[in-house]
Amino acid sequence: MAIQYWGNKGGQRNKILAFRHSYHGDTFGAMSVSERSVFTAPFSDYLFEVEFVGTPTRDNIYELLSLVRREGSSIAGFIYEPLLQGAGGMRIYEAQLLDELLAELSGQGILCIADEVLTGFGRTGRLFAGEYLRHKADIICLSKGLTGGTMALGVTAVTERLFEAFLSDDRRKTLFHGHSFTANPIACAASLASLDLLLDEGNLQRIAHIGRRHEAFLEKLALYPIVKNPRSIGTILAFELNTGEDGYVNAIGPAITKEALAQGIYLRPLGNTVYFMPPYCITEKEMDQVYDFLVHSIVVHS
Ligand SMILES: Cc1ncc(COP(=O)(O)O)c(C=O)c1O
């Protein structure tokens, strides 16, 4: 959409900007804008070129802003997972710095594409991670929590400005990309029902409660030398186990998955990055069970 937007406007922009360590999915477009990794390696010859930059930190923010000022007029769009990069390692970064970057990008007319597939629907403690930001996206990608995981449905929502760029008597300006199951009525009904549940006051309190329990558990994690960088955002808790090289192929991940399954827990570390991302309906007892398993696992692997 971002690419065709510029075509429809008669513009010359074709560059796409994305973050290192990003993960946006498995189609060729989504792989192209994702960090090149073991996920994308077999397909690397077929992926289009993207400019990757680090997520903003206090050290690199001025460099990022000056890159955007320098190259802005050739950049069509910027895609990002707001506040939390998921499959790339559960990496949390600062909302305020992202906001500064988004301000500069928007100022240059660059379309900002928020991938909230993972962060959406309460995961980061608010309904959307974008609610922590002053600068809003032009395109937002939603899936996963949209139906509470019950039906297959994704949404790409855009602002009026984008929508209008496709409205024309010239048929070539149409977005021709639809799918067999676009706006599937059963999936849409499931999504509406899931939203009703999600917005229930009791559920929002539950999300906040899970967040507080994670924060309390972080203090416990800090006691174990094998645990690196314990962190949490909303309902997600993550840490690294300091066992060999960091990364997805670290063998500890599958080993922990197996041990967890034996305890009736489905836990799927990203290599040596262990994360706990419970459904909001998890009971107190089940949360205790997972925290106990994590401590046990840390001790066993220390
Ligand atoms: C941030 C992010 N974007 C996109 C995707 C891909 O979503 P889908 O499988 O709905 O295409 C994922 C899936 O894990 C994701 O975490």
Side-chain angles (χ1 to χ4, degrees):
M1 279 182 187
I3 292 166
Q4 190 180 339
Y5 169 88
W6 289 108
N8 284 3
K9 300 287 267 184
Q12 294 300 315
R13 301 188 184 213
N14 58 10
K15 204 181 274 181
I16 305 285
L17 201 64
F19 279 144
R20 278 187 211 112
H21 302 295
S22 56
Y23 174 76
H24 296 292
D26 296 335
T27 59
F28 278 80
M31 277 197 287
S32 296
V33 294
S34 298
E35 163 96 47
R36 301 298 187 263
S37 68
V38 284
F39 286 54
T40 60
F43 313 100
S44 57
D45 288 351
Y46 301 90
L47 305 181
F48 60 78
E49 223 175 276
V50 165
E51 181 155 359
F52 289 100
V53 293
T55 46
T57 62
R58 302 218 167 261
D59 290 337
N60 73 1
I61 184 73
Y62 293 108
E63 211 178 298
L64 285 176
L65 296 176
S66 75
L67 177 133
V68 174
R69 268 176 226 131
R70 216 170 44 241
E71 299 184 18
S73 60
S74 63
I75 301 174
F78 163 64
I79 183 161
Y80 59 104
E81 297 158 85
L83 271 56
L84 171 83
Q85 297 183 292
M90 295 294 161
R91 294 160 191 269
I92 300 169
Y93 63 101
E94 245 185 74
Q96 199 196 326
L97 295 173
L98 176 60
D99 238 345
E100 282 181 43
L101 180 61
L102 291 175
E104 190 62 45
L105 290 154
S106 304
Q108 300 274 345
I110 295 161
L111 297 178
C112 295
I113 307 163
D115 178 349
E116 292 236 24
V117 166
L118 191 139
T119 53
F121 303 102
R123 271 287 159 218
T124 64
R126 300 208 185 153
L127 198 51
F128 297 106
E131 289 180 20
Y132 291 96
L133 303 164
R134 278 182 303 121
H135 286 89
K136 301 300 168 203
D138 300 283
I139 301 181
I140 176 168
C141 314
L142 305 170
S143 178
K144 298 196 192 301
L146 177 61
T147 61
T150 57
M151 290 287 295
L153 185 70
V155 163
T156 307
V158 304
T159 56
E160 204 73 27
R161 167 168 81 120
L162 241 109
F163 181 71
E164 279 168 6
F166 291 81
L167 281 185
S168 169
D169 291 331
D170 179 351
R171 292 267 290 145
R172 284 168 300 190
K173 293 196 173 174
T174 305
L175 182 81
F176 285 112
H177 296 249
H179 302 274
S180 305
F181 294 109
T182 291
N184 177 274
I186 301 175
C188 290
S191 170
L192 290 172
S194 179
L195 269 179
D196 283 344
L197 289 174
L198 181 70
L199 297 175
D200 182 86
E201 186 52 35
N203 197 30
L204 297 175
Q205 282 171 12
R206 211 42 240 124
I207 288 172
H209 177 71
I210 294 172
R212 283 192 297 272
R213 288 215 58 188
H214 280 350
E215 279 167 27
F217 186 67
L218 285 182
E219 288 176 26
K220 206 167 187 178
L221 281 179
L223 302 174
Y224 299 93
I226 196 176
V227 172
K228 270 199 311 190
N229 191 17
R231 55 203 182 271
S232 76
I233 180 166
T235 63
I236 301 171
L237 171 117
F239 58 90
E240 271 76 47
L241 280 176
N242 201 357
T243 55
E245 208 180 315
D246 287 348
Y248 199 76
V249 288
N250 189 309
I252 191 110
I256 290 179
T257 297
K258 204 166 157 204
E259 292 155 14
L261 270 181
Q263 305 282 321
I265 299 168
Y266 185 54
L267 206 70
R268 204 181 56 134
L270 303 156
N272 63 324
T273 301
V274 181
Y275 68 98
F276 178 22
M277 187 167 78
Y280 309 144
C281 59
I282 192 168
T283 63
E284 293 299 298
K285 200 166 152 226
E286 287 164 337
M287 284 198 80
D288 287 338
Q289 198 185 338
V290 177
Y291 289 135
D292 287 349
F293 171 78
L294 290 175
V295 168
H296 168 80
S297 183
I298 289 163
V299 171
V300 166
H301 292 285
S302 286

